[in-house]
Amino acid sequence: MKQRIVRILKHRLIQSSGLILSGSLIANALNYVFNVAMGRMLSPAQFGEMAALVTLFMIVAVPASTITFLLAKYIAQYQARDDMVGARTFYRQVFRQAFGVGVVLTGLFLLTVPFLQSYLHASRTPLLIFAVVMVTSLIAGVAR
């Protein structure tokens, strides 16, 4: 019985899942510490502004993560066929498209900054910085 449990725990899937679970737990613990620290350092209005900006960033981070996973899948298929030229071409095409979409989304976001500023009761500077982060996160999703 003990050998069976040890064999199961040494299985690659179980070890990989354990690594992901551990990483998620650590990330969530650090997220909690960050929120507690910000709650102590900021006023309620500033904390609300920070929370709104973090939420906006998470909305942008989801498509960036999706791009990363999809790109990894298709690049792996190119590598399996030993077609590195096709992989590079595909990568460049996705990079250009992500940059273009990022620029368009940033332009649209910059047009909505006055509305968001009044709706979120936020200052203008963090929203403008967020606009730059929007393009960067999409490009980083491809580069990852």
Side-chain angles (χ1 to χ4, degrees):
M1 182 68 172
K2 244 184 182 179
Q3 290 177 341
R4 184 177 175 156
I5 292 172
V6 169
R7 191 176 59 217
I8 289 172
L9 291 176
K10 287 189 176 188
H11 192 274
R12 185 174 163 198
L13 176 65
I14 300 299
Q15 287 182 342
S16 300
S17 298
L19 181 64
I20 290 173
L21 177 66
S22 300
S24 296
L25 286 173
I26 290 169
N28 286 328
L30 291 174
N31 184 28
Y32 175 75
V33 169
F34 173 77
N35 277 297
V36 168
M38 291 296 105
R40 303 290 261 158
M41 293 169 49
L42 302 174
S43 70
Q46 290 172 327
F47 185 81
E49 183 178 337
M50 186 237 13
L53 291 172
V54 168
T55 303
L56 283 175
F57 180 74
M58 294 309 293
I59 291 170
V60 173
V62 169
S65 298
T66 304
I67 290 170
T68 302
F69 291 124
L70 286 174
L71 193 60
K73 175 190 176 212
Y74 287 110
I75 294 295
Q77 289 175 351
Y78 280 109
Q79 285 180 337
R81 292 189 302 244
D82 202 28
D83 183 10
M84 295 312 291
V85 173
R88 275 189 226 106
T89 304
F90 180 70
Y91 175 80
R92 286 185 193 122
Q93 181 183 7
V94 171
F95 187 87
R96 283 187 203 115
Q97 289 177 352
F99 182 75
V101 167
V103 168
V104 168
L105 288 176
T106 299
L108 291 173
F109 183 80
L110 287 173
L111 291 174
T112 63
V113 164
F115 168 74
L116 286 171
Q117 187 177 358
S118 66
Y119 181 73
L120 298 174
H121 303 289
S123 57
R124 186 178 183 89
T125 305
L127 292 171
L128 294 176
I129 292 170
F130 178 77
V132 174
V133 169
M134 193 179 318
V135 173
T136 307
S137 71
L138 286 174
I139 293 171
V142 175
R144 244 185 281 148

